[in-house]
Amino acid sequence: MPASEARKYKGGCSCGTVELEVSGEPVAMGYCHCESCRKWSASPVNAFTLWKPDAVKVTRGAEHIANYNKTAASDRKWCRKCGGHLMAHHPAMGLTDVYAATIPEFPFQPAVHVNYQEARTRIRDGLPKMKDVPKEMGGSGMTLPE
Ligand SMILES: [Zn+2]
Ligand SMILES: [Zn+2]
């Protein structure tokens, strides 16, 4: 399907200064339990949607986006006005995580939990619980009990 026909979903930060749009289908969706996500998001889990970078477009307020790089693996982006989190680009994976909460219209359908070995909040939803991340993302591919 040409990009022009792909379904688009709008999103943005908490104050609305930064607006963005994702188009088409994400590569993966799920929940991350790692300490790094939990601390930065101040949340028990981080709901992620991973996209090819060209499927994600900032449509307004790009000049208000600030970056935070705890490690080289994640280029996290947030709004300077409200502090609201937007997305994180993962250069090694070549994918951009647009936090599910940032794109409320998008039908979030989680398929997996990752970094469950670091979980503080158990979620018994029957989805696979990866110890770290899937093999194709450089992890062990091992799963853990819920
Ligand atoms: Zn904002
Ligand atoms: Zn994480």
Side-chain angles (χ1 to χ4, degrees):
M1 194 162 46
S4 57
E5 289 173 26
R7 183 83 209 263
K8 289 177 163 54
Y9 301 93
K10 291 184 191 309
C13 67
S14 175
C15 73
T17 298
V18 180
E19 288 178 0
L20 54 80
E21 194 176 81
V22 292
S23 52
E25 296 291 325
V27 176
M29 295 183 249
Y31 300 100
C32 185
H33 293 257
C34 84
E35 183 181 24
S36 185
C37 280
R38 284 188 283 105
K39 278 201 165 168
W40 196 60
S41 64
S43 165
V45 295
N46 184 41
F48 66 83
T49 68
L50 289 168
W51 304 77
K52 296 256 169 61
D54 60 5
V56 182
K57 228 189 301 177
V58 174
T59 51
R60 211 177 78 129
E63 69 276 20
H64 297 286
I65 295 177
N67 300 60
Y68 169 62
N69 299 271
K70 186 181 172 74
T71 69
S74 299
D75 179 21
R76 291 172 164 142
K77 299 177 192 297
W78 53 280
C79 169
R80 230 185 265 280
K81 278 197 174 173
C82 66
H85 298 175
L86 295 158
M87 60 182 129
H89 183 59
H90 299 295
M93 284 196 273
L95 294 171
T96 298
D97 171 6
V98 181
Y99 308 126
T102 302
I103 41 174
E105 294 169 13
F106 176 76
F108 179 60
Q109 289 168 327
V112 67
H113 291 252
V114 299
N115 294 311
Y116 206 62
Q117 64 180 344
E118 298 177 51
R120 288 289 194 276
T121 305
R122 305 269 146 194
I123 298 181
R124 293 179 176 87
D125 58 4
L127 294 175
K129 306 293 183 300
M130 307 297 299
K131 179 173 184 261
D132 38 71
V133 295
K135 272 207 174 110
E136 56 271 29
M137 287 163 66
S140 69
M142 286 171 64
T143 55
L144 296 174
E146 291 195 315

